[in-house]
Amino acid sequence: MIKRHDKRQPRKLFWKRPALWIFLILIAFVYVNNSSLFAKPSAREPFLLAHRGMAQTFHMEGITNDTCTAERIYPPEHPYLENTIASMQAAFDRGADVVELDVQPTKDGQFAVFHDWTLGCRTNGEGVTRDFSLADLQKLDIGYNYTADDGATFPFRGKGIGLMPSLDDVFANFPTQHLLIHVKSNDPNEGVMLAAYLSQLPEERREKLTVYGGDEPIATLHQQLPDMRVMSMATLKSCLLPYIAVGWSGYVPAACGQTQLHIPDKIAPWLWGWPTRFMERMDMQDTRVILVAGSGDVSSGFDTLDDLKRIPEGFSGGIWTNRIDRIFAAYTKK
C-alpha cells in the first residue's frame, strides 16, 4: 500500500503568529494610553457655568429654535429675568464661576444683551432687535410676555422696564468676572463689529472672556482677535473629528489649541481618554471643556440633583447649568 504525504501545513502555534501579537500589543497600547486609570487626576475642581445668569426655566418638550420659551416657563421660583444685570449678579452670588449672556447688535452700533433676534416673544415691542437703537430697546418691558399658565397671568409684566443692559453695562458691573458671550446670528459682520468692540479691552480682560456662536461671525472675529478664546460648530468639528479618528494615539489636533469645547454628556464617553486622560490632553492645549447635558440640544443643562450623578469622576472642566441656584450647594456637597 502506497502511503500518501499529507500536504496540509501544520498549524502555527499561538505565540508564533507575529500579526496576532502586533494586534494584541496595539490593543494594549490603546487601552493603557487612553485609560483614565493611569492618568493623573487634575487638582482643579470643576467650575460652574450659569446659562443666561439666573433665568426662568421652561418645558423642553417639542422645543425648536422658533419656540417662544417665555410662553412656557415653569411657575417662577425666583424674581430674576435672563440676561439682566440682576440675574448675572445673582448667579455669581450663588456660586457661578462663569456667566453666559447673549448679545444683539443695535441700529446705532452698540450691543444689547438680549436673547432673541425679534422682540415679540418676551417684550411689549415688535420687530427685529437690530432695527432699534439701544435707547429704544431699553425702554421696553423685557418681562412682558412671560407666562406659566398659557397666558392666564403674566408674573413679570411691568417689572422688566429698562432692564435690558448693554454690553457696556455688563463690563461696568462685572469688570473681572469670567463671561461667555453668545453671538446669536451667522452674520460675519457681527463678528467684525464685536471684534472691534472687544479689541478696546485690555488683554487681561479678554483673557477672561470666551465668544461662541455662528461659524461665520466667529471666524471673522478670530481672524481679527486671534488671542480670543472662541467656539463655533466649525471649530468644534475641526478639533473633535480628527481627535476621534486618531486621538487613541495621544495625538491632539492643532485645531484644539486655546479654544473651547462644549461636549454633550451622551457623546463624551466616546472620546478617547474620557474623562481624565482627555481633560489632561486638553489642559496641555489650553483648551477649556464645558460639559452640557444630554445630546447637546437646546442648551440642556445639569439642573437637578439626579443630573449631577452623571458627571464622572476625573472631570475637571465646566458644568453647564440653567439652575445655578439649585446646583451650587448640591455640587459642593458631592
Side-chain angles (χ1 to χ4, degrees):
M1 181 176 180
I2 301 175
K3 293 184 178 180
R4 295 182 179 179
H5 293 287
D6 189 349
K7 296 182 179 180
R8 291 177 298 176
Q9 294 295 321
R11 292 183 180 179
K12 289 186 177 181
L13 297 176
F14 174 81
W15 55 85
K16 292 184 177 181
R17 297 182 180 182
L20 182 58
W21 272 109
I22 292 172
F23 175 74
L24 292 176
I25 291 170
L26 179 61
I27 293 296
F29 168 78
V30 171
Y31 174 78
V32 173
N33 196 44
N34 292 282
S35 174
S36 290
L37 296 174
F38 303 100
K40 181 180 178 181
S42 173
R44 185 182 67 241
E45 291 294 322
F47 60 91
L48 298 174
L49 188 153
H51 182 217
R52 306 185 200 171
M54 278 275 287
Q56 300 300 317
T57 52
F58 42 83
H59 301 279
M60 293 287 191
E61 296 82 2
I63 196 170
T64 69
N65 288 333
D66 297 322
T67 301
C68 177
T69 56
E71 297 175 346
R72 52 160 62 197
I73 63 170
Y74 293 114
E77 298 178 37
H78 60 74
Y80 302 104
L81 294 171
E82 64 180 51
N83 283 313
T84 62
I85 298 298
S87 76
M88 295 177 203
Q89 186 63 63
F92 283 123
D93 290 345
R94 285 159 175 78
D97 299 288
V98 184
V99 165
E100 189 262 8
L101 58 106
D102 306 302
V103 293
Q104 299 286 349
T106 66
K107 185 178 180 180
D108 52 342
Q110 301 188 66
F111 281 99
V113 179
F114 187 66
H115 180 271
D116 300 348
W117 75 282
T118 57
L119 298 170
C121 170
R122 301 178 196 282
T123 81
N124 56 335
E126 293 290 341
V128 178
T129 307
R130 65 180 59 201
D131 289 342
F132 293 82
S133 69
L134 179 65
D136 287 337
L137 291 172
Q138 291 183 323
K139 295 175 184 176
L140 297 172
D141 180 0
I142 63 170
Y144 190 81
N145 281 327
Y146 282 79
T147 180
D149 49 18
D150 296 321
T153 60
F154 295 90
F156 295 102
R157 186 165 287 186
K159 299 177 182 179
I161 299 171
L163 293 188
M164 187 189 301
S166 67
L167 199 49
D168 283 343
D169 296 329
V170 171
F171 286 130
N173 282 272
F174 307 106
T176 62
Q177 287 88 337
H178 288 268
L179 300 169
L180 174 59
I181 301 170
H182 191 185
V183 176
K184 299 294 294 183
S185 78
N186 199 32
D187 181 358
N189 293 322
E190 192 170 337
V192 173
M193 180 180 170
L194 185 56
Y197 178 92
L198 296 176
S199 67
Q200 301 175 51
L201 300 175
E203 183 178 347
E204 58 269 22
R205 184 68 189 103
R206 290 203 303 271
E207 287 177 352
K208 294 185 177 181
L209 305 176
T210 302
V211 183
Y212 79 117
D215 291 346
E216 295 195 27
I218 294 304
T220 56
L221 183 147
H222 200 236
Q223 287 172 2
Q224 298 188 38
L225 286 177
D227 64 323
M228 280 294 305
R229 190 183 302 276
V230 298
M231 194 203 81
S232 67
M233 187 57 69
T235 66
L236 192 66
K237 289 179 178 179
S238 67
C239 168
L240 291 184
L241 291 181
Y243 181 80
I244 290 170
V246 296
W248 56 269
S249 67
Y251 171 76
V252 179
C256 294
Q258 198 188 2
T259 186
Q260 181 157 304
L261 305 174
H262 291 183
I263 309 292
D265 76 320
K266 287 186 177 180
I267 296 172
W270 296 97
L271 297 174
W272 296 108
W274 180 260
T276 310
R277 186 76 75 182
F278 179 82
M279 293 302 303
E280 180 182 73
R281 290 169 180 166
M282 295 303 119
D283 284 347
M284 292 178 66
Q285 301 296 320
D286 190 26
T287 296
R288 186 171 296 153
V289 179
I290 309 295
L291 191 63
V292 300
S295 57
D297 298 332
V298 294
S299 302
S300 297
F302 293 86
D303 300 337
T304 69
L305 302 186
D306 284 339
D307 290 339
L308 290 179
K309 296 175 183 177
R310 303 202 310 272
I311 298 171
E313 293 293 330
F315 178 71
S316 56
I319 299 169
W320 184 286
T321 182
N322 300 296
R323 290 302 303 263
I324 187 65
D325 53 319
R326 291 178 180 171
I327 295 304
F328 175 69
Y331 192 75
T332 55
K333 293 177 182 177
K334 280 189 66 179

